[in-house]
Amino acid sequence: MSPKRKPVIFCDFDGTITMSDNIVAIMKHFSPPGYEPIMQDILDRRITLLEGVSAMFALIPSSRKDEVIDFVLGQAGIREGFDTFLQYIRSQDIEFFVTSGGMDFFIQPLLAPFDIPADHIYCNSADFSKEAIEIVWPHTCQPPCENGCGMCKTTVMRRYPQEHYTRILIGDSLTDFEGAKIADLVYSRSILTTKCQELGVPHVPFETFHEIVNDLTTKLEQGVL
């Protein structure tokens, strides 16, 4: 009998842990001239996420750093049940990673109350030292991924090989599509639910983390995980 695979969770941040997509919210609020066609190019897959997000933030002067940070922290709400979810997976000894296409300047303060180890948070950084905001990409795609993800979720996931781990992805949007293709189980919201249906990927739609806890509990009790 082969050894039982260990569950490991990879969770998106914007629109998943938080109630809204913070990058989209920043762009809509500050509305730098020229961001809308770039945003559309990202959505239509004419440019990569890395190219598009870099280009949009380059439209915002670094002098507005405090305004940008204050705006995000003031409007980003944490999705219901997230704290309960963390307590549950810790009680089950399930390893948990935040894998986000977002930026450290809002992710770190928003996650600070939840005691997630720093080495379990993968995200991008923002450099405010130059005239315009520059995005730094410390976790770019590694082969076989060549999608210009920016923060490459599949690269992180492949460090936990499928023969040893049951890879669970939680997400909602474009940044989660590639990860969903190699996950064993997806908890999905919004556009990701539609994409999973198209890809034929096993998925469980959710709105709060309480629903994820309930489903995980059932699967663990049934020995599915």
Side-chain angles (χ1 to χ4, degrees):
M1 181 181 293
S2 60
K4 185 175 175 64
R5 293 188 299 160
K6 184 174 175 58
V8 57
I9 296 175
F10 306 93
C11 186
D12 178 50
F13 185 80
D14 288 281
T16 301
I17 294 174
T18 59
M19 295 298 291
S20 62
D21 186 308
N22 294 295
I23 293 175
V24 173
I26 288 169
M27 291 303 150
K28 287 185 175 179
H29 179 78
F30 291 93
S31 195
Y35 93 87
E36 288 177 316
I38 299 172
M39 181 89 71
Q40 195 59 52
D41 282 345
I42 296 172
L43 294 173
D44 292 341
R45 312 297 286 269
R46 285 191 289 269
I47 59 176
T48 66
L49 278 162
L50 189 154
E51 292 167 335
V53 172
S54 292
M56 288 194 297
F57 273 96
L59 301 173
I60 302 177
S62 291
S63 59
R64 304 195 74 176
K65 173 183 177 179
D66 291 342
E67 290 177 73
V68 173
I69 294 174
D70 289 347
F71 166 73
V72 178
L73 300 187
Q75 64 88 43
I78 299 295
R79 188 169 299 279
E80 183 183 339
F82 182 59
D83 196 25
T84 301
F85 163 77
L86 288 178
Q87 292 175 36
Y88 175 75
I89 61 174
R90 286 165 181 162
S91 75
Q92 300 298 313
D93 195 28
I94 298 174
E95 197 163 12
F96 173 80
F97 293 91
V98 175
T99 48
S100 173
M103 314 304 159
D104 55 359
F105 70 85
F106 58 78
I107 290 174
Q108 290 173 355
L110 286 168
L111 288 181
F114 300 104
D115 295 323
I116 300 169
D119 63 357
H120 281 53
I121 300 173
Y122 289 86
C123 65
N124 306 306
S125 300
D127 180 355
F128 294 95
S129 67
K130 300 171 184 175
E131 186 173 338
I133 299 173
E134 182 177 332
I135 304 305
V136 179
W137 308 92
H139 308 292
T140 52
C141 299
Q142 301 298 317
C145 187
E146 298 178 343
N147 290 291
C149 301
M151 204 309 290
C152 185
K153 301 187 181 190
T154 62
T155 295
V156 177
M157 292 170 71
R158 285 190 176 93
R159 294 171 188 163
Y160 294 80
Q162 197 169 31
E163 58 265 30
H164 300 301
Y165 294 90
T166 298
R167 299 184 294 200
I168 301 167
L169 181 139
I170 307 175
D172 77 310
S173 70
L174 185 67
T175 65
D176 302 299
F177 289 179
E178 297 305 318
K181 293 177 184 177
I182 66 169
D184 297 287
L185 172 63
V186 176
Y187 290 102
S188 63
R189 289 190 60 260
S190 189
I191 302 168
L192 184 60
T193 296
T194 303
K195 194 66 175 180
C196 284
Q197 291 167 347
E198 293 174 2
L199 295 172
V201 172
H203 64 286
V204 179
F206 77 98
E207 283 301 322
T208 75
F209 278 92
H210 294 302
E211 295 167 84
I212 297 177
V213 170
N214 291 340
D215 191 72
L216 282 173
T217 301
T218 299
K219 285 181 166 58
L220 287 168
E221 288 176 348
Q222 293 176 345
V224 178
L225 292 178

